[in-house]
Amino acid sequence: MLNQQNKSHNKLVGKLLLVVVGMFGFGFALAPMYEAFCNAFGINGRFVDIQKGSYDATVATDKMQLDKDRTVTVQFTASRNQNLQWEFRPMETSITVHPGEVREVKYYAKNMTGKTVVAQAVPSIVPGQASKYFNKMECFCFTQQTFAPGEAKEMPLRFVVDSGLPKKISTLTLAYTFFDTERRKVKDSAKIETNMRLAIKAR
Amino acid sequence: MSDHKPTGITRWLFTTNHKDIGTLYLWFAFIMFLVGGAMAMVIRAELMEPGMQVVDPLFFNSMTTMHGLIMVFGAVMPAMVGFANWMVPMMIGAPDMALPRMNNWSFWILPFAGTMLVSTLFMEGGGPAFGWTFYAPLSTTFAPASTDFFIFAVHMLGFSSIMGAINIIATILNMRAPGMTLMKMPLFVWTWLITAFLLIAVMPVLAGAVTMMLTDRNFGTSFFDAAGGGDPVLFQHVFWFFGHPEVYIMILPAFGIVSQIIPTFARKQLFGYASMVYATAAIAFLSFIVWAHHMFTVGMPVAGELYFTYATVMIAVPTAVKVFNWTATMWKGSMTFETPMLWAVAFVFLFTIGGFTGLMMGVAPADFQYHDSYFIVAHFHYVLVTGAVFAIIAGIYYWIPKWTGNMYDERLGKIHFWWSTISVNVLFFPQHFLGLAGMPRRIPDYAVQFAEFNFMSSIGGFAFGAAQLLFLYIVIKCIRGGDKATDTVWENPEGLEWTIPSPAPYHTFETAPKVK
């Protein structure tokens, strides 16, 4: 009787452990699911491949109905990943465009780390709903960029705002973050925290 | 082999006895409750007046963070597991838990995990200071080095909970006495069966979340780092996929305890037993599909806000079924108000207040005002302190005569009740007003217009904290002696645990009882 009970315990515990392992995997599966969900519904500033923008250039030509009656302000910002010693900024911070009009702007980047860095820019558009109407035809964010020590580059971005952009949106902000593809965590977080503490004390 | 029990420290270290392990869990929970409570006192001391007086802001943030983590993972959850260990075998007529050695292990992990968690406060750079929800990137990019110890502590706590849950499920499904069908089980056993399933479903997701944090921090992954193609909002989704079921993990066993106590003192059967079971299951199911109501303000599409609003408000239906059933159980009952009943009735009343504020915040457009304000602080303290903690205290008063063989001091018990119930409302009720007036949570300093309500709240906090020291005294006094309890303890209570002698012998139901 006792033996039999042990056997049924083992069977049940085995099943329950399967659930545990499965749910651990599910936790990780939430990451690609989240990505897929955002891509499918065009939310969170993600539409199709984040690196490529929404359409490639040939498709974009069909969408280029020039709408002279409407203007949209496009703002540009840039930020560095916190470990990266960079100069990185847009050459123009704000321009006004008509939907359907192809425009080109440049970003400036300079490697100040003293070593060769392969960097990748990651775009993000605010408001998120506008991201699927912002078509990048050419972008430095499509590829990784190699910078020699001290090298500076002007990097082009050619884009067109789709005339289907909802009427309520009149301003778009395009933000780029630059990060080192081979970044290693060099930061000593304890040190950062201690400095914060000291700063607070000093105040 | 009448009632032989091992002696000395090894009794507790090597024990596989469900009653010993239940006792260990409950004492661990009580100690952590006092530790977490001491942190709450620091918080209330700092907030008593505007301006910075007692601690520096970073330490204040560590206090709010550790208070939350310790109360959730160190106090409420282990206390509920302690009740399960003590009562589930006795309620279903089983001699012990299904897997006694694993049971020993799942408890003894806890003190180590708890110590590691608390030790982070003494590390260079300070303890975790990012809130108990440890949102990325605060907990990844900007967190102190001690965060890795916090992560490991959460892993260990998760292991302990999962093993405990598996043990409880195996006990309930395989070891019921002949005739104890599922629909004859006491409601406490039912709520714990469902809670245990929630635990094995979501604790691994939490383990996944902290593992992702660990690799983001130390091994160059970018799950939550936007610069590397990840997304901090993903963290919130993963966390709350765990976090929402987690709040029901803390409250469902409390529902079970209250459902045992109210019928005893109303001298009526529990009204709507079957609907209670189905309501519990419905709440558990809904808990998996409402998580994003904790993050209405992250910038969700309108469709998402609508869905999560409707799904959330739906939880009110099964919860209301429970509240109506407790009320109907009391209706026209011959009620008496011994200490356990006082706590149980206060639970029904005050938990419902917390439930209503939950409904307010479940509605997306309204939530934008309440989000991250003291309103949410008031809400979750009503459901967790006057909800879960009140039920735990009620349960201890209800069963401690069975555990120790002695009656607790009824007069002191009543003083403890009134003192706690009045002070807890002085403590948390003004926080509703603070939140509606715009005071944000997790801040050490605030604008002067919030001064009066904060002062009141702090006074209530100190009084409530002191009341729990009285509780400690009452418990110790009861263990050391007192009027002898009868075997049934109360007047005709229902359940197998009242058919055995008081105090409960070390081994019970070695031959299974027959259940009609």
Side-chain angles (χ1 to χ4, degrees):
Chain A
M1 150 90 193
L2 196 68
N3 222 351
Q4 215 173 358
Q5 199 157 48
N6 277 345
K7 248 181 221 152
S8 75
H9 286 338
N10 291 346
K11 223 169 126 189
L12 179 63
V13 170
K15 281 184 203 159
L16 295 174
L17 282 175
L18 270 182
V19 176
V20 169
V21 173
M23 287 310 289
F24 185 69
F26 177 77
F28 282 88
L30 280 172
M33 276 161 61
Y34 175 71
E35 194 118 333
F37 191 84
C38 291
N39 288 343
F41 293 94
I43 50 182
N44 198 21
R46 288 156 180 250
F47 196 72
V48 193
D49 190 335
I50 193 159
Q51 310 296 348
K52 294 202 182 89
S54 37
Y55 309 97
D56 56 37
T58 49
V59 181
T61 47
D62 305 333
K63 298 270 174 184
M64 280 184 217
Q65 293 163 315
L66 193 59
D67 186 353
K68 278 279 183 196
D69 299 334
R70 192 175 163 202
T71 56
V72 177
T73 307
V74 183
Q75 300 173 328
F76 302 94
T77 66
S79 56
R80 292 165 293 122
N81 188 30
Q82 62 163 169
N83 302 326
L84 210 54
Q85 299 267 318
W86 278 119
E87 194 180 334
F88 180 49
R89 59 183 161 81
M91 314 271 287
E92 284 166 287
T93 53
S94 178
I95 61 175
T96 309
V97 303
H98 296 296
E101 176 191 12
V102 180
R103 293 289 291 268
E104 185 170 306
V105 293
K106 285 199 169 90
Y107 270 66
Y108 175 84
K110 187 176 182 189
N111 175 6
M112 326 246 274
T113 56
K115 55 182 198 279
T116 304
V117 171
V118 181
Q120 170 75 56
V122 177
S124 161
I125 290 164
V126 177
Q129 299 95 300
S131 61
K132 73 181 195 185
Y133 303 100
F134 189 86
N135 309 320
K136 298 186 224 35
M137 302 163 77
E138 191 190 324
C139 177
F140 56 93
C141 59
F142 292 172
T143 54
Q144 298 187 338
Q145 312 270 334
T146 308
F147 285 81
E151 184 180 351
K153 282 187 197 175
E154 285 180 13
M155 302 178 298
L157 161 70
R158 191 137 44 88
F159 68 92
V160 55
V161 176
D162 192 320
S163 49
L165 182 75
K167 288 274 183 280
K168 61 177 179 184
I169 300 175
S170 59
T171 305
L172 299 179
T173 306
L174 177 61
Y176 280 103
T177 307
F178 227 33
F179 75 101
D180 181 354
T181 54
E182 295 153 57
R183 78 209 165 97
R184 280 182 205 93
K185 292 281 175 178
V186 285
K187 73 174 159 96
D188 183 346
S189 45
K191 205 184 271 170
I192 294 173
E193 202 68 20
T194 315
N195 290 344
M196 264 174 66
R197 205 178 258 274
L198 291 176
I200 288 165
K201 285 240 169 77
R203 210 185 48 173
Chain B
M1 68 165 262
S2 57
D3 198 27
H4 171 76
K5 53 180 100 164
T7 49
I9 181 80
T10 52
R11 168 184 172 185
W12 301 104
L13 282 177
F14 304 144
T15 184
T16 55
N17 180 291
H18 74 98
K19 301 185 184 78
D20 281 355
I21 293 173
T23 305
L24 287 170
Y25 264 111
L26 286 167
W27 272 115
F28 175 78
F30 205 154
I31 292 165
M32 288 314 247
F33 179 63
L34 295 179
V35 172
M39 292 173 178
M41 295 303 108
V42 174
I43 295 168
R44 281 323 316 172
E46 179 57 59
L47 291 177
M48 197 163 178
E49 286 173 356
M52 302 300 307
Q53 290 93 17
V54 187
V55 289
D56 70 66
L58 192 66
F59 187 74
F60 180 89
N61 288 344
S62 297
M63 284 291 102
T64 56
T65 305
M66 298 297 275
H67 166 74
L69 290 167
I70 285 174
M71 288 306 198
V72 169
F73 295 106
V76 174
M77 288 171 70
M80 294 302 185
V81 181
F83 275 111
N85 266 287
W86 252 106
M87 301 317 299
V88 165
M90 277 161 48
M91 286 176 157
I92 62 173
D96 204 313
M97 297 292 281
L99 307 154
R101 289 187 204 180
M102 192 170 86
N103 204 13
N104 174 294
W105 194 25
S106 48
F107 171 75
W108 277 109
I109 287 177
L110 273 185
F112 295 95
T115 308
M116 190 180 303
L117 187 60
V118 176
S119 72
T120 56
L121 283 176
F122 305 100
M123 292 179 187
E124 195 186 331
F130 31 66
W132 86 274
T133 52
F134 48 101
Y135 279 5
L138 266 184
S139 61
T140 51
T141 317
F142 302 102
S146 63
T147 306
D148 295 325
F149 288 86
F150 151 80
I151 290 171
F152 191 51
V154 171
H155 274 136
M156 285 173 38
L157 292 164
F159 267 106
S160 165
S161 299
I162 290 168
M163 288 193 296
I166 288 177
N167 209 345
I168 288 165
I169 295 174
T171 308
I172 297 174
L173 293 187
N174 286 348
M175 298 186 57
R176 295 192 310 281
M180 175 67 80
T181 57
L182 284 176
M183 287 311 275
K184 277 188 192 163
M185 294 194 311
L187 211 76
F188 177 71
V189 180
W190 255 116
T191 53
W192 243 114
L193 179 63
I194 291 165
T195 302
F197 274 107
L198 287 182
L199 274 169
I200 62 165
V202 300
M203 288 311 281
V205 176
L206 174 69
V210 291
T211 307
M212 286 187 247
M213 267 173 66
L214 188 75
T215 57
D216 265 18
R217 286 170 53 78
N218 300 303
F219 306 111
T221 59
S222 296
F223 286 104
F224 309 130
D225 184 0
D231 192 333
V233 176
L234 170 66
F235 177 86
Q236 299 188 26
H237 282 290
V238 180
F239 179 84
W240 286 114
F241 187 85
F242 146 80
H244 199 75
E246 167 69 15
V247 302
Y248 294 114
I249 287 167
M250 292 189 278
I251 203 66
L252 291 184
F255 290 170
I257 293 171
V258 169
S259 304
Q260 300 301 126
I261 294 174
I262 291 181
T264 298
F265 297 98
R267 291 166 181 77
K268 276 175 64 191
Q269 283 213 318
L270 182 68
F271 186 88
Y273 170 87
S275 69
M276 284 297 223
V277 173
Y278 296 134
T280 310
I283 292 172
F285 168 74
L286 288 172
S287 74
F288 283 103
I289 57 168
V290 297
W291 74 91
H293 66 212
H294 296 270
M295 37 193 289
F296 276 140
T297 58
V298 292
M300 252 186 278
V302 175
E305 310 244 321
L306 281 173
Y307 162 73
F308 283 108
T309 294
Y310 288 133
T312 302
V313 173
M314 227 153 53
I315 299 177
V317 177
T319 314
V321 167
K322 288 185 157 296
V323 174
F324 285 129
N325 281 344
W326 290 320
T327 317
T329 306
M330 289 187 265
W331 178 251
K332 292 190 172 173
S334 336
M335 289 209 287
T336 52
F337 295 93
E338 285 88 341
T339 308
M341 181 62 163
L342 286 175
W343 288 95
V345 173
F347 167 93
V348 175
F349 193 79
L350 297 173
F351 174 80
T352 306
I353 292 179
F356 274 132
T357 53
L359 269 179
M360 291 170 69
M361 283 178 296
V363 179
D367 178 72
F368 276 69
Q369 185 190 349
Y370 313 138
H371 190 89
D372 264 351
S373 75
Y374 257 80
F375 196 78
I376 178 76
V377 176
H379 159 72
F380 64 65
H381 282 98
Y382 264 87
V383 288
L384 282 177
V385 179
T386 63
V389 172
F390 268 39
I392 289 167
I393 296 174
I396 287 173
Y397 279 115
Y398 185 55
W399 283 305
I400 205 169
K402 177 55 68 185
W403 299 339
T404 63
N406 304 321
M407 292 306 286
Y408 58 87
D409 188 324
E410 186 68 48
R411 192 180 63 93
L412 287 182
K414 285 197 167 118
I415 293 174
H416 176 216
F417 169 76
W418 286 110
W419 187 354
S420 298
T421 303
I422 293 169
S423 61
V424 84
N425 282 294
V426 177
L427 164 57
F428 293 121
F429 210 84
Q431 294 184 1
H432 290 118
F433 308 136
L434 286 171
L436 291 177
M439 177 167 161
R441 68 192 285 205
R442 292 172 178 154
I443 51 158
D445 188 8
Y446 50 83
V448 286
Q449 75 261 31
F450 304 131
E452 284 83 1
F453 281 134
N454 269 298
F455 188 81
M456 253 192 242
S457 182
S458 287
I459 296 296
F462 301 142
F464 184 73
Q468 307 325 309
L469 298 177
L470 174 65
F471 183 42
L472 179 65
Y473 172 76
I474 296 170
V475 168
I476 291 172
K477 189 175 170 206
C478 176
I479 292 170
R480 296 171 66 108
D483 300 342
K484 291 288 158 242
T486 60
D487 291 354
T488 52
V489 183
W490 314 108
E491 195 182 345
N492 291 324
E494 242 194 288
L496 287 175
E497 77 261 40
W498 309 111
T499 63
I500 56 178
S502 298
Y506 200 59
H507 300 285
T508 42
F509 295 128
E510 282 168 310
T511 38
K514 284 260 182 300
V515 181
K516 274 171 251 123

